[in-house]
Coordinates of all heavy atoms in Angstrom, one line a residue:
M1050 N 267.3 -34.4 22.1 CA 266.8 -35.3 20.9 C 267.3 -36.7 21.4 O 268.4 -36.9 21.9 CB 267.4 -34.9 19.6 CG 266.8 -35.8 18.4 SD 265.1 -35.6 18.3 CE 264.8 -33.9 17.6
S1051 N 266.5 -37.7 21.1 CA 266.7 -39.1 21.5 C 267.3 -39.8 20.3 O 266.9 -39.5 19.1 CB 265.4 -39.7 21.8 OG 265.6 -41.1 22.0
D1052 N 268.2 -40.6 20.5 CA 268.8 -41.5 19.4 C 267.8 -42.7 19.1 O 268.1 -43.5 18.2 CB 270.2 -41.9 19.6 CG 270.3 -42.8 20.9 OD1 269.3 -43.0 21.6 OD2 271.2 -43.5 20.9
E1053 N 266.7 -42.9 19.9 CA 265.7 -43.9 19.7 C 264.7 -43.6 18.5 O 264.1 -44.5 18.0 CB 264.9 -44.1 20.9 CG 265.8 -44.9 22.0 CD 265.0 -45.1 23.2 OE1 263.9 -44.6 23.5 OE2 265.5 -45.9 24.1
I1054 N 264.7 -42.4 18.1 CA 263.8 -42.0 17.0 C 264.5 -40.9 16.3 O 264.9 -39.9 16.9 CB 262.3 -41.5 17.6 CG1 261.5 -41.4 16.3 CG2 262.5 -40.4 18.5 CD1 260.0 -41.3 16.7
L1055 N 264.7 -41.1 15.0 CA 265.5 -40.1 14.3 C 264.5 -39.4 13.2 O 263.7 -40.0 12.8 CB 266.5 -40.8 13.5 CG 267.6 -41.7 14.3 CD1 268.4 -42.5 13.5 CD2 268.2 -40.9 15.3
F1056 N 264.9 -38.0 13.0 CA 264.1 -37.3 12.1 C 265.0 -36.7 11.1 O 266.0 -36.2 11.5 CB 263.2 -36.2 12.9 CG 262.4 -36.6 13.9 CD1 262.8 -36.6 15.2 CD2 261.1 -37.3 13.6 CE1 261.9 -37.0 16.2 CE2 260.4 -37.8 14.5 CZ 260.6 -37.8 16.0
E1057 N 264.5 -36.6 10.0 CA 265.3 -36.0 8.8 C 264.3 -35.5 7.8 O 263.3 -36.1 7.4 CB 266.3 -37.1 8.1 CG 267.1 -36.6 7.1 CD 268.0 -37.8 6.5 OE1 267.8 -39.0 6.9 OE2 268.8 -37.4 5.5
K1058 N 264.7 -34.4 7.3 CA 263.8 -33.9 6.1 C 264.8 -33.9 4.8 O 266.0 -33.4 4.7 CB 263.5 -32.4 6.2 CG 262.6 -31.8 5.1 CD 262.1 -30.5 5.6 CE 261.4 -30.0 4.4 NZ 261.5 -28.5 4.3
R1059 N 264.2 -34.5 3.7 CA 264.9 -34.7 2.5 C 263.9 -34.3 1.4 O 262.8 -34.9 1.2 CB 265.4 -36.2 2.1 CG 266.5 -36.5 3.0 CD 267.0 -37.9 2.6 NE 266.5 -39.0 3.5 CZ 266.3 -40.1 3.3 NH1 266.6 -40.6 2.2 NH2 265.8 -40.9 4.3
G1060 N 264.3 -33.2 0.8 CA 263.3 -32.7 -0.4 C 262.0 -32.3 0.3 O 262.0 -31.6 1.3
R1061 N 260.9 -32.8 -0.2 CA 259.5 -32.4 0.3 C 259.1 -33.6 1.3 O 257.9 -33.7 1.7 CB 258.5 -32.3 -0.8 CG 259.0 -31.0 -1.6 CD 258.0 -30.7 -2.5 NE 256.6 -30.7 -2.0 CZ 255.9 -29.6 -1.5 NH1 256.5 -28.6 -1.3 NH2 254.6 -29.8 -1.2
A1062 N 259.9 -34.5 1.7 CA 259.5 -35.7 2.6 C 260.2 -35.5 4.0 O 261.4 -35.1 4.1 CB 259.9 -36.8 2.0
G1063 N 259.4 -35.8 5.0 CA 260.0 -36.0 6.4 C 260.1 -37.3 6.7 O 259.2 -38.2 6.4
F1064 N 261.3 -37.7 7.1 CA 261.6 -39.2 7.3 C 261.7 -39.5 8.9 O 262.4 -38.7 9.5 CB 262.9 -39.7 6.6 CG 262.8 -39.8 5.2 CD1 262.8 -38.7 4.3 CD2 262.5 -41.0 4.6 CE1 262.8 -38.9 3.0 CE2 262.5 -41.2 3.3 CZ 262.5 -40.1 2.4
V1065 N 261.0 -40.5 9.3 CA 261.2 -40.8 10.7 C 261.8 -42.3 10.8 O 261.2 -43.1 10.0 CB 259.8 -40.9 11.4 CG1 259.8 -41.5 12.8 CG2 259.0 -39.6 11.2
T1066 N 262.7 -42.6 11.6 CA 263.3 -43.7 11.7 C 263.1 -44.3 13.2 O 263.7 -43.6 14.0 CB 264.8 -43.9 11.3 OG1 265.0 -43.6 9.9 CG2 265.3 -45.4 11.4
L1067 N 262.4 -45.4 13.4 CA 262.3 -45.9 14.7 C 263.6 -46.6 15.0 O 263.9 -47.6 14.3 CB 261.1 -46.7 14.9 CG 259.8 -46.1 14.3 CD1 258.6 -47.2 14.7 CD2 259.5 -45.0 15.2
N1068 N 264.5 -46.2 15.9 CA 265.8 -46.7 16.0 C 266.0 -47.5 17.2 O 266.9 -47.2 18.1 CB 266.7 -45.5 16.0 CG 268.2 -45.9 15.6 OD1 268.4 -46.8 15.0 ND2 269.0 -45.0 16.3
R1069 N 265.2 -48.5 17.4 CA 265.5 -49.4 18.6 C 265.4 -51.0 18.2 O 264.5 -51.6 18.4 CB 264.3 -49.3 19.7 CG 264.3 -47.9 20.4 CD 263.3 -47.8 21.4 NE 263.5 -48.7 22.5 CZ 262.7 -49.2 23.2 NH1 261.3 -48.9 23.1 NH2 263.0 -50.1 24.3
P1070 N 266.4 -51.3 17.1 CA 266.3 -52.7 16.7 C 266.3 -53.7 17.6 O 265.7 -54.8 17.4 CB 267.5 -52.6 15.7 CG 268.4 -51.5 16.0 CD 267.5 -50.5 16.7
K1071 N 267.0 -53.5 18.8 CA 267.2 -54.6 19.7 C 265.7 -54.9 20.4 O 265.5 -55.8 20.9 CB 268.2 -54.3 20.7 CG 269.8 -54.5 20.2 CD 270.6 -54.3 21.1 CE 272.0 -54.4 20.5 NZ 273.2 -54.1 21.4
A1072 N 264.9 -53.8 20.5 CA 263.7 -53.9 21.1 C 262.5 -54.1 19.9 O 261.4 -53.7 20.3 CB 263.3 -52.7 21.9
L1073 N 263.0 -54.5 18.8 CA 262.1 -54.6 17.6 C 261.3 -53.3 17.4 O 260.2 -53.3 17.0 CB 261.1 -55.8 17.8 CG 261.7 -57.1 18.0 CD1 260.7 -58.2 18.2 CD2 262.7 -57.5 16.8
N1074 N 262.0 -52.1 17.6 CA 261.6 -50.8 17.4 C 260.1 -50.4 18.0 O 259.5 -49.6 17.7 CB 261.4 -50.5 15.9 CG 262.6 -50.7 15.2 OD1 263.7 -50.1 15.6 ND2 262.8 -51.4 14.1
A1075 N 260.0 -51.1 19.2 CA 258.8 -50.8 19.9 C 258.9 -49.3 20.5 O 259.9 -48.8 20.7 CB 258.9 -51.6 21.2
L1076 N 257.8 -48.6 20.5 CA 257.8 -47.2 20.9 C 257.8 -47.2 22.4 O 257.2 -47.6 23.1 CB 256.4 -46.6 20.4 CG 256.3 -46.5 18.9 CD1 254.9 -46.2 18.6 CD2 257.3 -45.5 18.2
S1077 N 258.5 -46.2 22.8 CA 258.6 -45.8 24.2 C 257.7 -44.6 24.3 O 257.5 -43.9 23.3 CB 260.0 -45.5 24.8 OG 260.6 -44.2 24.1
H1078 N 257.4 -44.1 25.5 CA 256.6 -42.9 25.7 C 257.3 -41.7 25.2 O 256.8 -40.9 24.7 CB 256.1 -42.8 27.3 CG 255.3 -41.7 27.5 ND1 255.4 -40.6 28.3 CD2 254.0 -41.4 27.0 CE1 254.5 -39.8 28.3 NE2 253.5 -40.3 27.5
D1079 N 258.6 -41.6 25.5 CA 259.3 -40.4 24.9 C 259.4 -40.4 23.5 O 259.2 -39.4 22.9 CB 260.9 -40.5 25.5 CG 260.9 -40.2 26.9 OD1 260.1 -39.5 27.4 OD2 262.0 -40.6 27.6
M1080 N 259.4 -41.6 23.0 CA 259.5 -41.6 21.4 C 258.1 -41.1 20.9 O 258.0 -40.4 19.8 CB 259.7 -43.1 20.8 CG 261.1 -43.6 21.0 SD 261.3 -45.3 20.7 CE 261.0 -45.4 19.0
V1081 N 257.0 -41.5 21.4 CA 255.7 -41.0 21.0 C 255.5 -39.6 21.2 O 255.0 -38.9 20.3 CB 254.6 -41.8 21.9 CG1 253.2 -41.2 21.5 CG2 254.6 -43.2 21.5
K1082 N 256.1 -39.1 22.3 CA 256.0 -37.6 22.5 C 256.9 -36.9 21.4 O 256.3 -36.0 20.8 CB 256.5 -37.2 23.8 CG 255.5 -37.6 25.0 CD 256.0 -37.0 26.3 CE 257.3 -37.1 26.8 NZ 257.7 -36.7 28.0
L1083 N 258.1 -37.3 21.2 CA 258.9 -36.7 20.2 C 258.3 -36.8 18.7 O 258.3 -35.8 18.1 CB 260.3 -37.3 20.1 CG 261.1 -37.0 21.3 CD1 262.4 -37.9 21.4 CD2 261.5 -35.4 21.4
L1084 N 257.7 -37.9 18.4 CA 257.0 -38.1 17.2 C 255.9 -37.2 17.0 O 255.7 -36.5 16.0 CB 256.5 -39.5 17.0 CG 255.8 -39.9 15.7 CD1 256.7 -39.7 14.5 CD2 255.3 -41.3 15.7
G1085 N 255.0 -37.0 18.0 CA 254.0 -36.1 17.9 C 254.4 -34.7 17.8 O 253.7 -34.0 16.9
E1086 N 255.4 -34.3 18.5 CA 255.9 -32.9 18.3 C 256.5 -32.7 16.9 O 256.2 -31.7 16.4 CB 257.1 -32.6 19.3 CG 256.6 -32.6 20.7 CD 257.7 -32.7 21.8 OE1 258.8 -32.8 21.4 OE2 257.3 -32.6 22.9
Q1087 N 257.2 -33.7 16.3 CA 257.8 -33.4 14.9 C 256.6 -33.5 13.9 O 256.7 -32.7 13.0 CB 258.8 -34.5 14.7 CG 259.5 -34.4 13.4 CD 260.3 -33.0 13.4 OE1 261.1 -32.9 14.3 NE2 260.1 -32.3 12.5
L1088 N 255.6 -34.4 14.1 CA 254.5 -34.4 13.1 C 253.8 -33.1 13.1 O 253.4 -32.6 12.1 CB 253.7 -35.7 13.4 CG 254.3 -36.9 13.1 CD1 253.2 -38.1 13.5 CD2 254.7 -37.1 11.6
T1089 N 253.6 -32.5 14.2 CA 253.0 -31.3 14.4 C 253.8 -30.1 13.6 O 253.3 -29.4 12.9 CB 252.7 -30.8 15.9 OG1 251.9 -31.8 16.5 CG2 252.1 -29.5 15.9
R1090 N 255.1 -30.1 13.8 CA 255.9 -29.1 13.1 C 255.9 -29.4 11.6 O 255.7 -28.4 10.8 CB 257.4 -29.3 13.5 CG 257.7 -28.7 14.9 CD 259.2 -28.5 15.2 NE 259.8 -29.7 15.5 CZ 259.8 -30.4 16.6 NH1 259.2 -29.8 17.6 NH2 260.5 -31.5 16.7
W1091 N 255.9 -30.6 11.2 CA 255.9 -30.9 9.8 C 254.6 -30.5 9.2 O 254.3 -30.0 8.1 CB 256.2 -32.4 9.4 CG 257.7 -32.6 9.4 CD1 258.8 -31.7 9.2 CD2 258.4 -33.9 9.6 NE1 260.0 -32.3 9.3 CE2 259.7 -33.6 9.6 CE3 257.9 -35.0 9.9 CZ2 260.7 -34.7 9.7 CZ3 258.8 -36.2 9.9 CH2 260.2 -35.9 9.9
A1092 N 253.5 -30.7 10.0 CA 252.0 -30.4 9.5 C 251.9 -28.9 9.2 O 251.1 -28.5 8.3 CB 251.0 -30.8 10.5
Q1093 N 252.7 -28.1 9.9 CA 252.7 -26.6 9.7 C 253.6 -26.2 8.8 O 253.7 -24.9 8.5 CB 252.8 -26.0 11.1 CG 251.8 -26.3 12.1 CD 252.2 -25.9 13.6 OE1 253.3 -25.5 13.9 NE2 251.3 -26.1 14.4
D1094 N 254.5 -27.0 8.2 CA 255.6 -26.6 7.2 C 255.1 -26.9 5.9 O 254.9 -28.2 5.4 CB 256.8 -27.5 7.6 CG 257.9 -27.1 6.7 OD1 257.8 -26.5 5.7 OD2 259.1 -27.6 7.0
P1095 N 254.8 -25.8 5.1 CA 254.4 -26.1 3.8 C 255.3 -26.9 2.8 O 254.9 -27.2 1.7 CB 254.0 -24.7 3.2 CG 254.7 -23.9 4.1 CD 255.0 -24.4 5.3
T1096 N 256.5 -26.8 3.2 CA 257.6 -27.5 2.4 C 257.5 -29.0 2.5 O 258.3 -29.7 1.9 CB 259.0 -26.9 2.5 OG1 259.4 -27.3 3.9 CG2 259.0 -25.4 2.3
V1097 N 256.7 -29.6 3.4 CA 256.8 -31.0 3.7 C 255.5 -31.5 3.2 O 254.3 -31.1 3.5 CB 256.8 -31.3 5.3 CG1 256.7 -32.9 5.5 CG2 258.2 -30.9 5.8
A1098 N 255.6 -32.4 2.2 CA 254.4 -32.9 1.5 C 254.0 -34.3 2.0 O 252.8 -34.6 1.9 CB 254.6 -33.0 0.0
H1099 N 254.8 -35.1 2.6 CA 254.5 -36.3 3.1 C 255.6 -36.8 4.1 O 256.7 -36.3 4.1 CB 254.4 -37.4 1.9 CG 255.4 -37.5 1.0 ND1 255.7 -36.6 -0.1 CD2 256.6 -38.2 1.1 CE1 256.7 -36.8 -0.7 NE2 257.4 -37.8 -0.1
V1100 N 255.3 -37.9 4.8 CA 256.0 -38.4 5.9 C 256.4 -39.9 5.6 O 255.3 -40.6 5.4 CB 255.5 -38.2 7.3 CG1 256.4 -38.8 8.2 CG2 255.4 -36.6 7.6
V1101 N 257.6 -40.5 5.7 CA 257.9 -41.8 5.6 C 258.3 -42.3 7.0 O 259.3 -41.6 7.5 CB 258.9 -42.0 4.5 CG1 259.3 -43.4 4.4 CG2 258.5 -41.3 3.2
I1102 N 257.8 -43.3 7.5 CA 258.2 -44.0 8.8 C 258.7 -45.4 8.5 O 258.1 -46.1 7.9 CB 257.0 -44.0 9.8 CG1 256.4 -42.6 10.0 CG2 257.5 -44.6 11.1 CD1 255.2 -42.6 10.9
S1103 N 259.8 -45.6 9.0 CA 260.6 -46.9 8.9 C 261.1 -47.3 10.2 O 261.4 -46.6 11.1 CB 261.5 -46.9 7.8 OG 262.6 -46.0 8.0
G1104 N 261.4 -48.6 10.3 CA 262.0 -49.1 11.5 C 263.6 -49.5 11.2 O 263.8 -50.1 10.1
A1105 N 264.5 -49.3 12.2 CA 265.8 -49.7 11.9 C 266.0 -51.2 12.0 O 265.1 -51.9 12.6 CB 266.7 -49.1 13.0
G1106 N 267.0 -51.8 11.4 CA 267.1 -53.3 11.5 C 266.3 -53.9 10.4 O 265.5 -53.3 9.7
D1107 N 266.5 -55.2 10.5 CA 265.6 -56.0 9.5 C 264.7 -56.9 9.9 O 264.1 -57.8 9.3 CB 266.6 -56.7 8.5 CG 267.6 -57.6 9.2 OD1 267.5 -57.7 10.6 OD2 268.4 -58.3 8.6
K1108 N 264.4 -56.9 11.4 CA 263.4 -57.8 11.9 C 262.0 -57.3 12.1 O 261.1 -58.2 12.0 CB 264.0 -58.3 13.3 CG 265.2 -59.1 13.3 CD 265.5 -59.6 14.7 CE 266.7 -60.6 14.5 NZ 266.9 -61.2 15.7
A1109 N 261.7 -56.1 12.5 CA 260.5 -55.5 12.7 C 260.5 -54.0 12.4 O 261.4 -53.3 12.6 CB 260.2 -55.8 14.2
F1110 N 259.2 -53.8 11.9 CA 258.9 -52.2 11.8 C 258.7 -51.7 13.1 O 259.3 -50.6 13.6 CB 257.7 -52.0 10.9 CG 257.1 -50.6 11.0 CD1 257.8 -49.6 10.4 CD2 255.9 -50.4 11.6 CE1 257.3 -48.4 10.6 CE2 255.4 -49.2 11.6 CZ 256.0 -48.0 11.0
C1111 N 257.7 -52.2 14.0 CA 257.4 -51.7 15.3 C 256.6 -52.8 16.0 O 255.4 -53.1 15.8 CB 256.6 -50.4 15.2 SG 256.3 -49.7 16.9
A1112 N 257.3 -53.5 17.0 CA 256.7 -54.6 17.6 C 255.8 -54.1 18.6 O 255.8 -52.9 19.1 CB 257.8 -55.6 18.2
G1113 N 255.1 -55.0 19.5 CA 254.1 -54.7 20.5 C 254.8 -54.6 21.9 O 254.1 -54.4 22.9
G1114 N 256.0 -54.2 22.0 CA 256.7 -54.0 23.2 C 256.2 -52.7 23.9 O 256.3 -52.6 25.1
D1115 N 255.7 -51.8 23.1 CA 255.2 -50.6 23.7 C 254.0 -50.9 24.5 O 253.9 -50.4 25.6 CB 254.8 -49.5 22.5 CG 254.2 -50.2 21.4 OD1 254.1 -51.4 21.1 OD2 253.6 -49.4 20.5
I1116 N 253.1 -51.8 24.0 CA 252.0 -52.2 24.8 C 252.4 -52.9 26.0 O 251.8 -52.8 27.1 CB 251.0 -52.9 23.8 CG1 250.5 -52.2 22.7 CG2 249.8 -53.4 24.8 CD1 249.9 -50.7 22.9
R1117 N 253.4 -53.7 25.9 CA 253.8 -54.6 26.9 C 254.3 -53.7 28.0 O 254.1 -53.9 29.2 CB 254.9 -55.5 26.4 CG 255.6 -56.5 27.5 CD 254.5 -57.3 28.1 NE 254.9 -57.9 29.4 CZ 255.0 -59.2 29.5 NH1 254.7 -60.0 28.5 NH2 255.5 -59.7 30.7
S1118 N 255.0 -52.6 27.7 CA 255.5 -51.8 28.7 C 254.4 -51.1 29.6 O 254.6 -50.9 30.7 CB 256.6 -50.7 28.0 OG 255.8 -49.7 27.2
I1119 N 253.4 -50.8 28.8 CA 252.2 -50.2 29.6 C 251.6 -51.3 30.5 O 251.4 -50.9 31.7 CB 251.2 -49.8 28.5 CG1 251.7 -48.6 27.7 CG2 249.9 -49.4 29.3 CD1 250.8 -48.1 26.5
Y1120 N 251.5 -52.3 30.1 CA 250.9 -53.4 30.9 C 251.9 -53.7 32.2 O 251.4 -53.8 33.3 CB 250.9 -54.8 30.1 CG 250.4 -56.0 30.9 CD1 249.2 -56.2 31.3 CD2 251.5 -56.8 31.4 CE1 248.8 -57.3 32.1 CE2 251.1 -58.0 32.2 CZ 249.9 -58.1 32.5 OH 249.6 -59.3 33.3
D1121 N 253.2 -53.9 31.9 CA 254.2 -54.1 32.9 C 254.2 -52.9 33.9 O 254.2 -53.2 35.2 CB 255.6 -54.2 32.4 CG 255.8 -55.6 31.7 OD1 254.9 -56.4 31.8 OD2 256.8 -55.6 30.9
A1122 N 254.0 -51.7 33.5 CA 254.0 -50.5 34.4 C 252.7 -50.6 35.4 O 252.8 -50.3 36.5 CB 254.1 -49.2 33.6
R1123 N 251.7 -51.0 34.6 CA 250.3 -51.0 35.3 C 250.5 -52.1 36.5 O 250.0 -51.8 37.6 CB 249.3 -51.2 34.5 CG 247.9 -51.1 35.2 CD 246.8 -50.9 34.1 NE 245.4 -50.8 34.8 CZ 244.9 -49.8 35.4 NH1 245.4 -48.7 35.3 NH2 243.7 -49.8 36.0
Q1124 N 251.0 -53.3 36.0 CA 251.1 -54.4 37.0 C 252.1 -54.1 38.1 O 251.8 -54.4 39.2 CB 251.6 -55.6 36.4 CG 250.7 -56.2 35.2 CD 249.4 -56.6 35.9 OE1 248.4 -56.0 35.9 NE2 249.5 -57.8 36.6
A1125 N 253.1 -53.1 37.9 CA 253.8 -52.7 39.0 C 253.4 -51.6 39.8 O 254.0 -51.1 40.7 CB 255.3 -52.3 38.4
G1126 N 252.2 -51.0 39.6 CA 251.5 -50.0 40.2 C 252.0 -48.7 39.9 O 251.8 -47.8 40.6
K1127 N 252.6 -48.7 38.6 CA 253.1 -47.3 38.2 C 252.2 -46.9 37.0 O 252.6 -46.6 35.9 CB 254.5 -47.4 37.5 CG 255.5 -47.9 38.8 CD 256.9 -48.1 38.2 CE 257.8 -48.7 39.3 NZ 259.1 -49.1 38.6
A1128 N 250.8 -46.6 37.4 CA 249.9 -46.1 36.4 C 250.0 -44.7 36.1 O 249.3 -44.2 35.0 CB 248.5 -46.6 36.9
S1129 N 250.6 -43.9 36.8 CA 250.6 -42.4 36.5 C 251.1 -42.1 35.2 O 252.3 -42.4 34.8 CB 251.6 -41.7 37.7 OG 251.5 -40.4 37.5
G1130 N 250.4 -41.5 34.4 CA 250.7 -40.9 33.2 C 250.5 -41.8 31.9 O 250.7 -41.6 30.9
L1131 N 250.1 -43.1 32.2 CA 249.8 -44.2 31.3 C 248.8 -43.8 30.3 O 248.8 -44.2 29.2 CB 249.6 -45.5 31.9 CG 250.8 -46.2 32.6 CD1 250.3 -47.5 33.1 CD2 251.9 -46.3 31.7
S1132 N 247.8 -43.1 30.8 CA 246.7 -42.8 29.8 C 247.1 -41.6 28.8 O 246.5 -41.7 27.8 CB 245.4 -42.1 30.7 OG 245.8 -40.9 31.2
A1133 N 248.2 -41.1 29.1 CA 248.7 -40.0 28.1 C 249.4 -40.8 26.9 O 249.6 -40.1 25.9 CB 249.6 -39.0 28.7
F1134 N 249.9 -42.1 27.1 CA 250.7 -42.7 26.1 C 250.1 -42.7 24.8 O 250.6 -42.3 23.8 CB 251.0 -44.1 26.6 CG 252.0 -44.8 25.7 CD1 253.4 -44.8 25.9 CD2 251.6 -45.6 24.6 CE1 254.2 -45.3 25.1 CE2 252.4 -46.3 23.8 CZ 253.9 -46.0 24.1
P1135 N 248.8 -43.3 24.7 CA 248.2 -43.4 23.3 C 247.8 -42.1 22.7 O 247.6 -41.9 21.5 CB 246.9 -44.3 23.4 CG 246.7 -44.2 25.0 CD 248.0 -43.8 25.6
R1136 N 247.5 -41.1 23.5 CA 247.2 -39.9 23.0 C 248.2 -39.1 22.4 O 248.2 -38.4 21.5 CB 246.7 -38.9 24.2 CG 245.3 -39.2 24.4 CD 244.8 -38.3 25.6 NE 244.8 -38.9 26.9 CZ 245.0 -38.3 28.1 NH1 244.9 -37.1 28.0 NH2 245.1 -39.1 29.1

């Protein structure tokens, strides 16, 4: 489990915290994969009624650094796997 994205269940709610305040909580590819896996688990869990997503720190919920990382990787010729990011 990554410390960049945190999951917790309280009562009937699943809580997600994007935990990269220094990067304005921009999503990394690993964070997206972990989020997708957890949302799938919660979707199959009848005890979870809703999900709350928040960002750590007080500057940003989720900045566009995730998109910037895709651009930078493509510019550096590292395009392998980039199409899977938004999926």
Side-chain angles (χ1 to χ4, degrees):
M1050 185 63 69
S1051 169
D1052 63 345
E1053 293 181 341
I1054 186 165
L1055 308 173
F1056 304 105
E1057 179 182 6
K1058 186 176 167 205
R1059 287 184 260 156
R1061 294 188 44 86
F1064 285 83
V1065 179
T1066 303
L1067 306 178
N1068 193 32
R1069 294 182 68 204
K1071 289 182 180 177
L1073 302 177
N1074 297 312
L1076 294 169
S1077 68
H1078 188 237
D1079 286 339
M1080 291 170 69
V1081 171
K1082 288 191 310 186
L1083 291 169
L1084 178 60
E1086 292 166 1
Q1087 185 63 54
L1088 290 176
T1089 298
R1090 282 192 291 277
W1091 281 338
Q1093 298 168 354
D1094 183 345
T1096 66
V1097 175
H1099 52 275
V1100 174
V1101 177
I1102 303 176
S1103 62
D1107 56 1
K1108 289 190 176 185
F1110 167 66
C1111 183
D1115 45 349
I1116 303 303
R1117 177 62 192 243
S1118 70
I1119 293 170
Y1120 173 81
D1121 289 344
R1123 185 161 179 88
Q1124 292 298 103
K1127 300 176 184 176
S1129 177
L1131 290 181
S1132 64
F1134 186 92
R1136 281 186 259 154

